[in-house]
Amino acid sequence: MLAEYFPVLLFLGVSAIIGIALIVIGFVLGPRRPDAEKAAAFECGFSAFEDARMRFDVRYYLFAILFIIFDLEIAFVYPWATVFSSLGLFGLVEMGLFLSLLVIGFVYAWKKGALEWE
């Protein structure tokens, strides 16, 4: 039974060796010319202008959670689409219910102003 896992273990071992070798080679052969500009904090092309531990508006987190929820629907729609022909009408009705619940949630979030960014 362990022989069946040998290709996976071999793949993991070779990839670990290659990854470690590339990091070591970059560390040993890479140029080291630090200066004040390279060591400075960098944020989207601008110098950092505020503390990194500043508070965010709760709407940012709400927007992020909504993105994750609606992004995860693809995780359910893609497998359904691959086996759609074998599911038949039952699968179509179930996915229709699922997507209609998502649309209802999206409309609710839209009406509450969760998607508005000021």
Side-chain angles (χ1 to χ4, degrees):
M1 177 139 170
L2 287 175
E4 295 176 9
Y5 291 108
F6 180 72
V8 174
L9 293 175
L10 181 65
F11 178 76
L12 288 174
V14 169
S15 61
I17 289 171
I18 290 172
I20 291 170
L22 289 173
I23 290 172
V24 168
I25 289 170
F27 183 74
V28 171
L29 299 178
R32 288 190 194 94
R33 285 172 272 181
D35 61 358
E37 189 172 343
K38 285 185 181 179
F42 185 76
E43 183 178 320
C44 300
F46 300 101
S47 297
F49 50 86
E50 287 190 32
D51 185 21
R53 292 172 184 85
M54 67 181 197
R55 290 185 175 195
F56 285 99
D57 191 4
V58 72
R59 287 177 291 185
Y60 172 78
Y61 296 110
L62 181 62
F63 198 80
I65 289 170
L66 286 172
F67 170 76
I68 290 170
I69 289 171
F70 291 111
D71 190 46
L72 282 178
E73 81 178 70
I74 298 303
F76 294 110
V77 173
Y78 181 75
W80 169 79
T82 58
V83 295
F84 174 70
S85 61
S86 64
L87 293 176
L89 183 61
F90 176 74
L92 181 64
V93 170
E94 289 295 322
M95 187 52 69
L97 288 172
F98 173 70
L99 291 176
S100 64
L101 284 174
L102 281 173
V103 167
I104 290 169
F106 180 71
V107 169
Y108 176 77
W110 193 348
K111 293 290 183 185
K112 286 292 187 178
L115 302 176
E116 297 294 326
W117 195 263
E118 296 176 6

Coordinates of all heavy atoms in Angstrom, one line a residue, residues 51-113:
D51 N 0.2 55.1 10.5 CA 0.6 53.9 11.2 C 0.0 52.7 10.6 O -1.2 52.7 10.2 CB 0.1 54.1 12.7 CG 0.6 52.9 13.6 OD1 1.6 52.3 13.2 OD2 0.0 52.7 14.6
A52 N 0.7 51.6 10.6 CA 0.2 50.4 10.0 C -0.9 49.8 10.8 O -1.7 48.9 10.3 CB 1.3 49.4 9.8
R53 N -1.1 50.2 12.1 CA -2.1 49.6 12.9 C -3.3 50.5 13.1 O -4.0 50.5 14.1 CB -1.4 49.3 14.3 CG -0.4 48.2 14.3 CD 0.3 48.1 15.6 NE 1.4 47.1 15.5 CZ 2.6 47.4 15.0 NH1 2.9 48.6 14.6 NH2 3.5 46.4 15.0
M54 N -3.5 51.3 12.1 CA -4.7 52.2 12.2 C -6.0 51.4 12.0 O -6.0 50.3 11.5 CB -4.6 53.3 11.1 CG -4.8 52.8 9.7 SD -4.6 54.1 8.6 CE -5.3 53.4 7.1
R55 N -7.1 51.9 12.5 CA -8.4 51.2 12.4 C -9.0 51.4 11.0 O -8.9 52.5 10.4 CB -9.3 51.8 13.5 CG -8.9 51.4 14.9 CD -9.9 51.9 15.8 NE -9.6 51.4 17.2 CZ -10.4 51.4 18.2 NH1 -11.6 51.9 18.0 NH2 -10.0 51.0 19.3
F56 N -9.6 50.3 10.6 CA -10.3 50.4 9.4 C -11.8 50.5 9.6 O -12.3 50.1 10.7 CB -10.1 49.1 8.6 CG -8.8 49.0 7.9 CD1 -7.8 48.3 8.5 CD2 -8.5 49.6 6.7 CE1 -6.5 48.2 7.9 CE2 -7.3 49.5 6.1 CZ -6.3 48.8 6.7
D57 N -12.5 51.1 8.7 CA -14.0 51.2 8.8 C -14.6 49.8 8.7 O -14.1 49.0 7.9 CB -14.5 52.1 7.7 CG -15.9 52.5 7.9 OD1 -16.5 52.1 8.9 OD2 -16.4 53.2 7.0
V58 N -15.6 49.6 9.4 CA -16.3 48.2 9.4 C -16.8 47.9 8.0 O -17.0 46.7 7.7 CB -17.3 48.2 10.5 CG1 -18.5 49.0 10.2 CG2 -17.7 46.7 10.8
R59 N -17.1 48.9 7.2 CA -17.6 48.7 5.9 C -16.6 47.9 5.0 O -17.0 47.2 4.1 CB -18.0 50.0 5.2 CG -19.3 50.5 5.8 CD -19.7 51.8 5.2 NE -18.6 52.8 5.6 CZ -18.7 54.1 5.4 NH1 -19.6 54.6 4.6 NH2 -17.7 54.9 5.8
Y60 N -15.3 48.2 5.3 CA -14.3 47.4 4.5 C -14.4 45.9 4.8 O -14.4 45.1 3.9 CB -12.9 47.9 4.9 CG -11.8 47.1 4.4 CD1 -11.4 47.3 3.1 CD2 -11.1 46.2 5.2 CE1 -10.4 46.5 2.5 CE2 -10.1 45.4 4.6 CZ -9.8 45.6 3.3 OH -8.8 44.8 2.8
Y61 N -14.6 45.6 6.1 CA -14.7 44.1 6.4 C -16.0 43.6 5.8 O -16.0 42.4 5.4 CB -14.6 44.0 7.9 CG -13.3 44.4 8.5 CD1 -13.2 45.5 9.3 CD2 -12.1 43.6 8.2 CE1 -11.9 45.9 9.8 CE2 -10.9 44.0 8.7 CZ -10.8 45.1 9.5 OH -9.6 45.5 10.0
L62 N -17.1 44.3 5.9 CA -18.3 43.9 5.3 C -18.2 43.6 3.8 O -18.7 42.6 3.3 CB -19.4 44.9 5.6 CG -20.8 44.5 5.1 CD1 -21.3 43.3 5.8 CD2 -21.8 45.7 5.4
F63 N -17.5 44.6 3.2 CA -17.3 44.4 1.7 C -16.5 43.2 1.4 O -16.8 42.4 0.5 CB -16.6 45.7 1.2 CG -16.7 45.9 -0.3 CD1 -17.9 46.4 -0.8 CD2 -15.7 45.5 -1.1 CE1 -18.0 46.5 -2.2 CE2 -15.8 45.7 -2.5 CZ -16.9 46.2 -3.0
A64 N -15.4 42.9 2.2 CA -14.6 41.8 2.0 C -15.4 40.5 2.3 O -15.2 39.5 1.5 CB -13.4 41.8 3.0
I65 N -16.2 40.4 3.3 CA -17.0 39.2 3.6 C -18.0 39.0 2.5 O -18.1 37.8 2.0 CB -17.7 39.4 4.9 CG1 -16.7 39.3 6.1 CG2 -18.8 38.3 5.1 CD1 -17.2 39.6 7.4
L66 N -18.6 40.0 2.0 CA -19.5 39.8 0.8 C -18.8 39.3 -0.4 O -19.3 38.5 -1.1 CB -20.2 41.2 0.5 CG -21.3 41.6 1.5 CD1 -21.8 43.0 1.2 CD2 -22.4 40.6 1.5
F67 N -17.6 39.8 -0.6 CA -16.8 39.3 -1.8 C -16.5 37.9 -1.6 O -16.7 37.1 -2.6 CB -15.5 40.1 -1.9 CG -14.6 39.5 -2.9 CD1 -14.8 39.7 -4.3 CD2 -13.5 38.7 -2.5 CE1 -14.0 39.1 -5.2 CE2 -12.7 38.2 -3.4 CZ -12.9 38.3 -4.8
I68 N -16.1 37.4 -0.5 CA -15.8 36.0 -0.2 C -17.1 35.2 -0.4 O -17.0 34.1 -1.1 CB -15.2 35.8 1.2 CG1 -13.8 36.4 1.2 CG2 -15.2 34.4 1.5 CD1 -13.2 36.5 2.5
I69 N -18.2 35.6 0.1 CA -19.4 34.8 -0.1 C -19.8 34.7 -1.5 O -20.1 33.6 -2.0 CB -20.6 35.5 0.7 CG1 -20.4 35.4 2.2 CG2 -21.9 34.9 0.3 CD1 -21.3 36.2 3.1
F70 N -19.8 35.8 -2.3 CA -20.2 35.7 -3.7 C -19.1 35.0 -4.5 O -19.4 34.5 -5.6 CB -20.6 37.0 -4.2 CG -21.9 37.5 -3.6 CD1 -21.9 38.5 -2.7 CD2 -23.1 36.8 -3.9 CE1 -23.1 39.0 -2.2 CE2 -24.3 37.2 -3.3 CZ -24.3 38.3 -2.5
D71 N -17.9 35.1 -4.1 CA -16.8 34.4 -4.8 C -16.9 32.9 -4.6 O -16.6 32.1 -5.5 CB -15.5 34.9 -4.4 CG -14.3 34.4 -5.2 OD1 -14.5 34.5 -6.5 OD2 -13.3 34.0 -4.7
L72 N -17.3 32.5 -3.4 CA -17.4 31.0 -3.1 C -18.5 30.3 -3.9 O -18.5 29.1 -4.0 CB -17.5 30.8 -1.6 CG -16.3 31.0 -0.8 CD1 -16.6 30.8 0.7 CD2 -15.2 30.0 -1.3
E73 N -19.4 31.1 -4.4 CA -20.5 30.5 -5.2 C -19.9 29.8 -6.4 O -20.4 28.7 -6.8 CB -21.6 31.4 -5.5 CG -21.3 32.3 -6.8 CD -22.4 33.2 -7.1 OE1 -22.6 34.2 -6.4 OE2 -23.0 32.9 -8.2
I74 N -18.8 30.2 -6.9 CA -18.2 29.6 -8.1 C -17.7 28.2 -7.7 O -17.7 27.3 -8.5 CB -17.1 30.5 -8.6 CG1 -17.6 31.8 -9.1 CG2 -16.3 29.8 -9.7 CD1 -18.7 31.7 -10.1
A75 N -17.3 28.1 -6.4 CA -16.8 26.8 -5.9 C -17.9 25.7 -6.0 O -17.7 24.5 -6.0 CB -16.3 26.9 -4.5
F76 N -19.2 26.2 -5.9 CA -20.3 25.3 -6.0 C -20.9 25.2 -7.5 O -21.4 24.1 -7.8 CB -21.4 25.7 -5.1 CG -21.1 25.6 -3.6 CD1 -20.9 26.8 -2.9 CD2 -20.9 24.4 -3.0 CE1 -20.6 26.7 -1.6 CE2 -20.6 24.3 -1.7 CZ -20.4 25.4 -1.0
V77 N -20.8 26.2 -8.2 CA -21.3 26.2 -9.6 C -20.4 25.4 -10.5 O -20.9 24.7 -11.4 CB -21.5 27.7 -10.1 CG1 -21.9 27.7 -11.5 CG2 -22.5 28.4 -9.2
Y78 N -19.1 25.5 -10.4 CA -18.2 24.8 -11.3 C -18.4 23.3 -11.3 O -18.6 22.7 -12.3 CB -16.8 25.2 -11.0 CG -15.8 24.6 -12.0 CD1 -15.7 25.0 -13.3 CD2 -15.0 23.5 -11.6 CE1 -14.9 24.4 -14.2 CE2 -14.2 22.9 -12.5 CZ -14.1 23.3 -13.8 OH -13.2 22.7 -14.7
P79 N -18.4 22.6 -10.1 CA -18.6 21.2 -10.1 C -20.0 20.8 -10.6 O -20.1 19.8 -11.3 CB -18.4 20.8 -8.7 CG -17.7 21.9 -8.0 CD -18.0 23.1 -8.8
W80 N -21.0 21.6 -10.3 CA -22.3 21.4 -10.8 C -22.3 21.4 -12.3 O -23.0 20.6 -13.0 CB -23.3 22.4 -10.3 CG -24.6 22.4 -10.9 CD1 -25.6 21.5 -10.6 CD2 -25.1 23.3 -11.9 NE1 -26.7 21.8 -11.4 CE2 -26.4 22.9 -12.2 CE3 -24.5 24.4 -12.6 CZ2 -27.2 23.6 -13.1 CZ3 -25.3 25.0 -13.5 CH2 -26.6 24.6 -13.8
A81 N -21.6 22.4 -12.9 CA -21.6 22.5 -14.4 C -20.9 21.4 -15.1 O -21.3 21.0 -16.2 CB -20.9 23.8 -14.8
T82 N -19.9 20.8 -14.4 CA -19.2 19.7 -15.0 C -20.0 18.4 -15.0 O -19.8 17.6 -15.9 CB -17.9 19.4 -14.3 OG1 -18.2 19.1 -12.9 CG2 -16.9 20.6 -14.4
V83 N -21.0 18.2 -14.1 CA -21.8 17.0 -14.1 C -23.3 17.3 -14.3 O -24.2 16.6 -14.0 CB -21.7 16.3 -12.7 CG1 -20.3 15.7 -12.5 CG2 -22.1 17.2 -11.6
F84 N -23.5 18.5 -15.0 CA -24.9 18.9 -15.2 C -25.7 17.9 -16.0 O -26.9 17.6 -15.7 CB -24.9 20.3 -15.9 CG -26.3 20.7 -16.3 CD1 -27.2 21.1 -15.4 CD2 -26.6 20.7 -17.7 CE1 -28.4 21.6 -15.7 CE2 -27.9 21.2 -18.0 CZ -28.8 21.6 -17.1
S85 N -25.1 17.3 -17.0 CA -25.9 16.4 -17.9 C -26.4 15.1 -17.1 O -27.4 14.6 -17.4 CB -25.1 16.0 -19.1 OG -23.9 15.3 -18.7
S86 N -25.6 14.7 -16.1 CA -26.1 13.5 -15.3 C -27.0 13.9 -14.2 O -27.7 13.0 -13.7 CB -24.8 12.8 -14.7 OG -24.2 13.6 -13.8
L87 N -27.2 15.1 -13.8 CA -28.1 15.5 -12.8 C -29.5 15.7 -13.2 O -30.5 15.5 -12.5 CB -27.6 16.8 -12.1 CG -26.3 16.7 -11.3 CD1 -25.9 18.1 -10.8 CD2 -26.4 15.8 -10.2
G88 N -29.7 16.1 -14.5 CA -31.0 16.3 -15.0 C -31.8 17.5 -14.4 O -31.2 18.5 -14.0
L89 N -33.1 17.3 -14.4 CA -34.0 18.4 -14.0 C -33.8 18.7 -12.5 O -33.8 19.9 -12.1 CB -35.4 18.1 -14.3 CG -36.4 19.1 -14.0 CD1 -36.2 20.4 -14.8 CD2 -37.8 18.6 -14.2
F90 N -33.6 17.7 -11.7 CA -33.4 17.9 -10.2 C -32.2 18.8 -10.0 O -32.3 19.7 -9.1 CB -33.2 16.5 -9.6 CG -32.9 16.6 -8.1 CD1 -33.9 16.9 -7.2 CD2 -31.6 16.4 -7.6 CE1 -33.6 17.1 -5.8 CE2 -31.3 16.5 -6.3 CZ -32.3 16.9 -5.4
G91 N -31.1 18.5 -10.6 CA -29.9 19.4 -10.4 C -30.1 20.8 -10.9 O -29.6 21.7 -10.3
L92 N -30.9 21.0 -12.0 CA -31.2 22.3 -12.4 C -32.0 23.1 -11.4 O -31.8 24.2 -11.1 CB -31.9 22.2 -13.8 CG -32.3 23.6 -14.4 CD1 -31.0 24.4 -14.8 CD2 -33.1 23.3 -15.7
V93 N -33.0 22.4 -10.9 CA -33.9 23.1 -9.9 C -33.1 23.4 -8.6 O -33.2 24.5 -8.1 CB -35.1 22.2 -9.6 CG1 -35.9 22.7 -8.4 CG2 -36.0 22.1 -10.8
E94 N -32.3 22.5 -8.1 CA -31.5 22.7 -6.9 C -30.5 23.9 -7.1 O -30.4 24.8 -6.3 CB -30.7 21.5 -6.5 CG -31.6 20.4 -6.0 CD -32.3 20.8 -4.7 OE1 -31.6 21.4 -3.9 OE2 -33.4 20.4 -4.5
M95 N -29.9 24.0 -8.3 CA -28.9 25.1 -8.5 C -29.7 26.4 -8.7 O -29.2 27.4 -8.3 CB -28.1 24.8 -9.7 CG -27.0 25.8 -9.9 SD -25.9 26.1 -8.5 CE -25.0 24.6 -8.3
G96 N -30.9 26.3 -9.3 CA -31.7 27.5 -9.4 C -32.1 28.0 -8.1 O -32.1 29.3 -7.8
L97 N -32.4 27.2 -7.1 CA -32.8 27.6 -5.8 C -31.5 28.2 -5.1 O -31.6 29.3 -4.4 CB -33.3 26.4 -4.9 CG -34.7 26.0 -5.3 CD1 -35.0 24.7 -4.5 CD2 -35.7 27.0 -4.9
F98 N -30.4 27.6 -5.3 CA -29.2 28.1 -4.7 C -28.8 29.5 -5.2 O -28.5 30.4 -4.4 CB -28.0 27.1 -4.9 CG -26.7 27.6 -4.5 CD1 -26.3 27.7 -3.2 CD2 -25.7 27.9 -5.4 CE1 -25.1 28.1 -2.8 CE2 -24.5 28.4 -5.1 CZ -24.2 28.5 -3.7
L99 N -28.9 29.6 -6.5 CA -28.5 30.9 -7.1 C -29.6 32.0 -6.8 O -29.2 33.1 -6.6 CB -28.3 30.7 -8.6 CG -27.1 30.0 -9.0 CD1 -27.1 29.8 -10.5 CD2 -25.8 30.6 -8.5
S100 N -30.8 31.6 -6.7 CA -31.8 32.6 -6.3 C -31.6 33.0 -4.9 O -31.8 34.2 -4.6 CB -33.3 32.0 -6.5 OG -33.5 30.9 -5.6
L101 N -31.2 32.2 -4.0 CA -30.9 32.6 -2.6 C -29.7 33.6 -2.6 O -29.7 34.6 -1.9 CB -30.6 31.4 -1.7 CG -31.8 30.6 -1.2 CD1 -31.4 29.4 -0.5 CD2 -32.7 31.5 -0.4
L102 N -28.7 33.3 -3.4 CA -27.6 34.2 -3.5 C -28.0 35.6 -4.1 O -27.6 36.6 -3.7 CB -26.5 33.6 -4.4 CG -25.7 32.6 -3.7 CD1 -24.7 31.9 -4.7 CD2 -24.8 33.2 -2.6
V103 N -28.9 35.6 -5.1 CA -29.4 36.8 -5.7 C -30.2 37.6 -4.6 O -30.1 38.8 -4.5 CB -30.2 36.5 -6.9 CG1 -31.0 37.8 -7.4 CG2 -29.3 36.0 -8.1
I104 N -31.0 36.9 -3.9 CA -31.8 37.6 -2.8 C -30.8 38.2 -1.8 O -31.0 39.3 -1.4 CB -32.7 36.6 -2.1 CG1 -33.9 36.2 -3.1 CG2 -33.3 37.2 -0.8 CD1 -34.7 35.1 -2.6
G105 N -29.8 37.5 -1.4 CA -28.8 38.0 -0.5 C -28.1 39.2 -1.1 O -27.8 40.2 -0.4
F106 N -27.7 39.1 -2.4 CA -27.1 40.3 -3.0 C -28.0 41.5 -3.1 O -27.5 42.6 -2.8 CB -26.7 39.8 -4.5 CG -26.0 40.9 -5.2 CD1 -24.7 41.3 -4.9 CD2 -26.6 41.5 -6.3 CE1 -24.1 42.3 -5.6 CE2 -26.0 42.5 -7.0 CZ -24.7 42.9 -6.7
V107 N -29.2 41.3 -3.4 CA -30.2 42.4 -3.5 C -30.3 43.0 -2.1 O -30.4 44.3 -1.9 CB -31.5 42.0 -4.1 CG1 -32.6 43.0 -3.9 CG2 -31.4 41.6 -5.5
Y108 N -30.4 42.2 -1.0 CA -30.5 42.7 0.3 C -29.3 43.5 0.7 O -29.5 44.6 1.3 CB -30.7 41.5 1.3 CG -30.7 41.9 2.7 CD1 -31.9 42.5 3.3 CD2 -29.6 41.7 3.5 CE1 -31.9 42.8 4.6 CE2 -29.6 42.1 4.9 CZ -30.8 42.7 5.4 OH -30.8 43.1 6.7
A109 N -28.1 43.0 0.4 CA -26.9 43.8 0.7 C -26.9 45.1 -0.1 O -26.4 46.1 0.5 CB -25.7 42.9 0.4
W110 N -27.3 45.0 -1.3 CA -27.3 46.2 -2.1 C -28.3 47.3 -1.5 O -28.0 48.5 -1.4 CB -27.7 45.9 -3.5 CG -27.5 46.9 -4.6 CD1 -27.2 48.3 -4.4 CD2 -27.6 46.8 -6.0 NE1 -27.1 48.9 -5.5 CE2 -27.3 48.0 -6.6 CE3 -27.9 45.7 -6.8 CZ2 -27.3 48.2 -7.9 CZ3 -27.9 45.9 -8.1 CH2 -27.6 47.1 -8.7
K111 N -29.5 46.8 -1.1 CA -30.5 47.8 -0.6 C -30.0 48.3 0.8 O -30.4 49.5 1.1 CB -31.8 47.0 -0.4 CG -32.5 46.6 -1.7 CD -33.0 47.9 -2.4 CE -33.7 47.4 -3.7 NZ -34.1 48.5 -4.5
K112 N -29.3 47.6 1.5 CA -28.8 48.1 2.8 C -27.6 49.0 2.7 O -27.2 49.6 3.7 CB -28.4 46.9 3.7 CG -29.6 46.1 4.3 CD -30.3 47.0 5.3 CE -31.4 46.2 6.0 NZ -32.1 47.0 7.0
G113 N -27.1 49.1 1.5 CA -25.9 50.0 1.3 C -24.6 49.4 1.6 O -23.6 50.1 1.7

